[in-house]
Amino acid sequence: MDGLRVLFSAAEIAARVDALATEIARTLPADFVMVGLLKGACVFVADFARALDRAGSRPEIEFIRLSSYGSAKESSGAVQLLGDIPAGLAGRPVLLVDDIVDTGRSLVFAAAQLRQRDISNLWTCALLDKPQRREVEVTPDFVGFAIEDVFVVGYGIDYAEKYRHLPYIGVVE
Ligand code: IMP
Ligand code: MG
């Protein structure tokens, strides 16, 4: 696609998702609840669920929707919950899954919301991590790929709602 440089091909993503699933299946109890952050994590969660099955986990799948980035490349900094936190999380081990950790605000906000639900344990996972961009201190427990400070799209990740459908992850140039 014009103006996009491939950063991770579909095959590279698939291999990394499988490896992450193996690591998580070894670490978490088999019956955890995977909570994805919409919309960005939708493609990752769908592939991840099937990779986790191959690795021996039996996750339930839930989603939380946070306020979006809007059409800008920079976050407004204010994160809001759109809709409800899924019911029935009390006492459960939870894996919070996002597409990218950038400033860290979304992950910290979502984790705080989940902790208020008396879950038994919380782990966090992000397919991509941009550690240089962090504004609040947070380190995901599981990371697919650490990347430089570049703006990426594809595999669920958008720029102004475009490019989520791409099977690969590209850098907008
Ligand atoms: P944070 O709250 O600043 O950590 O931002 C996390 C969210 O911002 C991610 O879940 C993405 O939805 C979005 N985001 C961060 N970096 C990028 C990017 O490079 N491309 C597209 N969306 C991004
Ligand atoms: Mg997101």
Side-chain angles (χ1 to χ4, degrees), residues 33-98:
V33 184
M34 169 155 72
V35 177
L37 295 188
L38 291 174
K39 297 180 218 173
C42 67
V43 176
F44 179 35
V45 166
D47 281 349
F48 206 21
R50 290 170 286 183
L52 284 161
D53 176 74
R54 291 191 289 275
S57 293
R58 300 183 301 273
E60 289 173 32
I61 303 174
E62 295 285 358
F63 289 99
I64 294 178
R65 180 131 188 224
L66 299 185
S67 55
S68 81
Y69 242 48
S71 57
K73 284 188 183 177
E74 293 292 323
S75 163
S76 66
V79 185
Q80 277 181 306
L81 186 63
L82 302 175
D84 296 322
I85 295 287
L89 293 180
R92 304 294 305 278
V94 172
L95 178 68
L96 176 59
V97 176
D98 202 4

Side-chain angles (χ1 to χ4, degrees), residues 13 16-25 27-28 32-38 40-42 44-45 47-49 51-52 94-102 106-108 110-111 114-115 121-130 134 138-146 155 157:
I13 297 168
R16 189 66 191 113
V17 169
D18 269 334
L20 266 183
T22 302
E23 196 183 335
I24 283 167
T27 313
L28 271 64
F32 65 90
V33 184
M34 169 155 72
V35 177
L37 295 188
L38 291 174
C42 67
F44 179 35
V45 166
D47 281 349
F48 206 21
L52 284 161
V94 172
L95 178 68
L96 176 59
V97 176
D98 202 4
D99 51 358
I100 311 184
V101 183
D102 188 45
S106 305
L107 198 67
V108 164
L114 291 169
R115 286 201 180 90
N121 224 326
L122 181 68
W123 292 265
T124 54
C125 175
L127 180 63
L128 303 175
D129 186 11
K130 294 196 242 180
R134 211 67 98 242
V138 59
T139 307
D141 298 307
F142 306 95
V143 170
F145 304 98
Y155 199 70
I157 302 165

Side-chain angles (χ1 to χ4, degrees), residues 1-4 39-43 65 68-73 99-100 151-172:
M1 200 167 288
D2 282 355
L4 282 191
K39 297 180 218 173
C42 67
V43 176
R65 180 131 188 224
S68 81
Y69 242 48
S71 57
K73 284 188 183 177
D99 51 358
I100 311 184
F151 196 83
V152 294
V153 295
Y155 199 70
I157 302 165
D158 76 308
Y159 174 40
E161 295 305 324
K162 299 201 189 309
Y163 307 114
R164 291 194 201 275
H165 61 94
L166 295 177
Y168 58 90
I169 292 171
V171 177
V172 181

